[in-house]
Amino acid sequence: MLGKVFGIMCLISILFASLSGNMAELGGAVFDGAETAVTLTISLCGIMSLWCGVMKVLQGAGAIGFFSRLISPVFRLFFPDAEKSGEGKEEICACIGANLLGIGNAATPLALSAIKKLHSDHVRKGGAADCASRDMITLAVLNTASANLLPTTILALRRSAGSSSPFSVVAPIWICSLSCAFLALILTRALGMKKGKKG
């Protein structure tokens, strides 16, 4: 789908550039954009590698398990099935930790791993294989509307773009991300309970 959208955008750009006589400017913009994309990717690669490595070290050192026990009361409320079975619990906690550090690229594979374990447990308990459990839905929503205490990726992007004060957005990000995460958890839990009563 995204490929089609970008393809249409490229065709429209070429059409308007040819009609307005700006094909040379379009060609220059393409080369400049490609160069900027490569430079940005390389600059982000370092910070992403650092934090992905930190997450692996924390996981190996047992810090994720400690974090899991620390948030157990909240975890029990929003992920009751995972708390009972233990399936996917460590991956969910690692995913939450990665999101708190603002490294969504590291959180995504952890979330996918957790979803696989939650799905296997859901099917094993007699749930439909083509339906998501409440825990799976909650994790998907929380991974999308995640809280960020240290927005690493955004800070790296602002720094690479030449911002004079890349950390000035931290406080607004805390307010927005924590509000979104809290509201997402409350809504998924409330709607899950409502569906459970109807079922």
Side-chain angles (χ1 to χ4, degrees):
M1 181 64 184
L2 281 176
K4 291 179 182 178
V5 171
F6 283 117
I8 291 169
M9 287 172 63
C10 289
L11 289 174
I12 291 172
S13 299
I14 293 168
L15 176 64
F16 276 94
S18 61
L19 289 175
S20 61
N22 292 318
M23 285 300 290
E25 286 80 358
L26 176 65
V30 168
F31 288 117
D32 290 343
E35 183 182 347
T36 305
V38 171
T39 305
L40 180 62
T41 302
I42 291 171
S43 65
L44 284 176
C45 198
I47 194 71
M48 293 306 300
S49 299
L50 170 67
W51 286 110
C52 287
V54 168
M55 284 302 298
K56 284 289 183 184
V57 170
L58 290 175
Q59 203 167 6
I64 300 299
F66 173 75
F67 180 63
S68 171
R69 291 189 297 275
L70 191 66
I71 66 168
S72 189
V74 178
F75 193 93
R76 191 181 300 115
L77 179 63
F78 295 108
F79 298 97
D81 296 334
E83 176 66 27
K84 288 177 187 174
S85 66
E87 289 291 329
K89 184 176 179 180
E90 188 169 328
E91 287 81 2
I92 293 171
C93 289
C95 174
I96 292 170
N99 278 320
L100 287 173
L101 293 173
I103 45 176
N105 291 349
T108 301
L110 292 166
L112 291 173
S113 176
I115 289 287
K116 285 179 184 177
K117 289 189 176 181
L118 291 173
H119 182 259
S120 299
D121 186 56
H122 175 65
V123 172
R124 190 164 52 248
K125 289 178 179 175
D130 59 346
C131 290
S133 67
R134 284 185 297 177
D135 283 8
M136 291 165 67
I137 293 169
T138 302
L139 178 59
V141 171
L142 185 60
N143 201 43
T144 305
S146 59
N148 288 314
L149 295 182
L150 183 62
T152 310
T153 305
I154 293 173
L155 294 176
L157 283 169
R158 284 174 59 82
R159 190 168 181 275
S160 65
S163 173
S164 57
S165 56
F167 289 89
S168 63
V169 297
V170 171
I173 287 173
W174 285 350
I175 295 167
C176 292
S177 65
L178 289 170
S179 301
C180 288
F182 179 73
L183 184 61
L185 286 171
I186 295 299
L187 284 174
T188 53
R189 184 64 180 160
L191 293 173
M193 289 173 67
K194 185 177 178 182
K195 185 180 178 182
K197 286 179 182 177
K198 284 185 178 180

